[in-house]
Every structure is written in structure tokens, then in C-alpha cells.
Amino acid sequence: MTFFALDVAPWESSDWPKAYATSPYMSTNSWLCFRFLVLLFFVLHFIANMLYYWNEEHWLYWIYLSRWTIACEVVQECIYFVLAFWGSVLLENGLGTATLPVLVKIHMALICMVLPTCLLTSGLYWAFSPFLPPPYVSAAVHGGDVIVFNLSFFLGRFPYAFSKCGWISVWAGSYAIFSVFHFLLKIGTDDTAPCAEYPLNECPVYAEIDWHHPQKTALIAFGGAIVAAPLMGGLYTGLTMLRDCCDNSAKMMREATLLPQEENVKLESD
């Protein structure tokens, strides 16, 4: 069994426009408008968050996992809107594609990384952050994004499955590797977030991920990457099943096969 699937099951590969450009609760045009509003939310709040913190942190802005998450959310929302628009054009003309486009696979990997982990990182932030309550621009990327992201998930037909949970480990593992380089290169933190134990250039980004104590930190990082993937993957697999139980029209849509573009061209030439 793979844990890095990039398919749109239970939809056929040629039916990806139905999964991306339709909603059980609104028309295709309304869904496109909704996707644009979601994209606008992420872009504007990302810009506002960066402008708010950049003067103090400068390039150290990027050492925090939440900033990686919001940046990835912006990128995947841009791709999601493009795919929804492309899919709507194909649906309007009764067309599909012979294979799953590369852009769909890229988006699949990105959203499977951040959809489950944004919930986890926001939960950890509100549980352990010493800077509570946060300003609005921080709360928007430590909870606001979770609300909008999951609203979009429940109103749409994005096909999450347990076979995609390995992408969570890729996301967690990438940040764990970064934290090692952060420690070795003595990047530290800015002077607004000092630590009592070490000089500023040796301060860990998060106290729990402190490579001055390698055995403990390696256990946390490895355990987190291994445990979080099936845990969060299982959660969203269950939520997907519950969501799809309320979507009676999806089964009929899957049974109505779209015509691949190249076949349609042949028919028109005949």
C-alpha cells in the first residue's frame, strides 16, 4: 500500500474536473467565486502577516513552521483556483483529460501536506505559545487559516484518502531537517524572541526542538513525523467519508464519464 498517492480516487483520473470544479452546495460559477474569495483571504493575510513582522524579524521571518504553512497554503490556493477554473471550462464543454495533469499532482501533494498539519500546528500554537493572545494578523494564520481551509474542504469534493498521509511526514521531515541546519549554522532567533539558556544565535526556534539535546529532540522529531502521519491522515480520511456521505450527487457524477479531449477532437473531425 502506498502512502504517497497522487490520484483523485474514487474519481477516475479523467474525471478530476468534477472533483476540483464542483460542489454539492453551489453551482460551478458560485464555487469559482468562493475559491477566489478563499484565495484572496490567504494572500491578503499572508501579506499582512509578513508586513507586520518583517521589520523586526527580517529574513528570520521564515524560521517558523507557521510561516512555511501559510506560504504553502497561498501557493496551493493559487493552483486550486487555476484547476477549478480549468475544470469548469472542461465541464462546460463535456470534456476531460486522458490522464491526470501534472498540476493536479503537484496540488495534491501540497494540500495533503498542509490540510492536516495546519490543524496540528495551530493547536500546538494555542496550547504552548507564550505570546497569547496574539495580534489579529497572527491569529489569522494560527486558526483563521484552519477555519477557512476546512470550510473549503467540507464544501468541496477534494478527494483525501489515507493513501496520501505520507505527505504529512514529508512536511514534518522537511522542517526537522531545516531545524538541524538552523542549529548547526547558529542562525538563532531575532531579539524579540530570546531564550534564557543560550546566546541569541543558538536559540532554538521552538524549545521542544532543541538540538543541544540531540537524543531527546531526534526522538520528538522522528516520533512526530511517524505518529502525526497516520493520526492526522486517519482523521481526515474519516472526515472525508463523513462529508461524502452527505453528497448524494457525487456517485451519479462518477458514473457519467467525461469525454477525453483527444477523443472529442476525433469525433468532431469525423
Side-chain angles (χ1 to χ4, degrees), residues 30-251:
S30 297
W31 178 245
L32 275 178
C33 292
F34 175 76
R35 292 253 53 90
F36 179 75
L37 292 176
V38 172
L39 172 60
L40 207 60
F41 171 88
F42 280 103
V43 170
L44 293 179
H45 283 88
F46 173 55
I47 293 173
N49 186 272
M50 180 178 285
L51 291 176
Y52 186 87
Y53 288 104
W54 190 264
N55 286 337
E56 295 178 347
E57 300 175 358
H58 300 288
W59 63 273
L60 290 175
Y61 177 87
W62 294 107
I63 66 176
Y64 298 96
L65 180 59
S66 60
R67 278 71 179 276
W68 287 33
T69 302
I70 187 64
C72 191
E73 287 170 344
V74 169
V75 173
Q76 72 83 26
E77 284 298 337
C78 290
I79 299 175
Y80 204 158
F81 179 75
V82 170
L83 290 173
F85 179 78
W86 182 14
S88 69
V89 173
L90 293 175
L91 288 175
E92 185 177 355
N93 293 281
L95 302 176
T97 55
T99 58
L100 199 63
V102 173
L103 194 60
V104 174
K105 296 180 180 180
I106 293 172
H107 178 262
M108 188 73 64
L110 290 175
I111 195 172
C112 288
M113 288 180 192
V114 296
L115 175 61
T117 53
C118 73
L119 176 63
L120 182 61
T121 54
S122 291
L124 293 174
Y125 174 83
W126 286 97
F128 299 110
S129 175
F131 305 109
L132 298 178
Y136 171 77
V137 291
S138 183
V141 300
H142 292 98
D145 61 331
V146 176
I147 295 171
V148 176
F149 216 156
N150 282 274
L151 178 65
S152 169
F153 171 75
F154 282 107
L155 292 179
R157 288 188 167 116
F158 176 78
Y160 191 85
F162 193 76
S163 59
K164 301 177 174 75
C165 72
W167 294 106
I168 303 173
S169 293
V170 172
W171 186 247
S174 298
Y175 191 78
I177 293 171
F178 165 77
S179 71
V180 174
F181 283 102
H182 177 273
F183 168 71
L184 294 176
L185 298 176
K186 296 186 176 181
I187 295 173
T189 59
D190 66 282
D191 54 12
T192 63
C195 57
E197 297 87 351
Y198 314 109
L200 194 62
N201 68 336
E202 294 186 23
C203 287
V205 181
Y206 302 106
E208 295 77 14
I209 307 177
D210 183 359
W211 289 103
H212 290 90
H213 308 286
Q215 292 182 337
K216 174 186 173 183
T217 304
L219 183 62
I220 292 173
F222 181 77
I226 297 300
V227 173
L231 182 65
M232 302 306 295
L235 172 63
Y236 273 90
T237 299
L239 291 175
T240 302
M241 294 172 64
L242 290 174
R243 180 200 65 185
D244 292 350
C245 285
C246 303
D247 189 2
N248 295 324
S249 59
K251 182 179 179 181

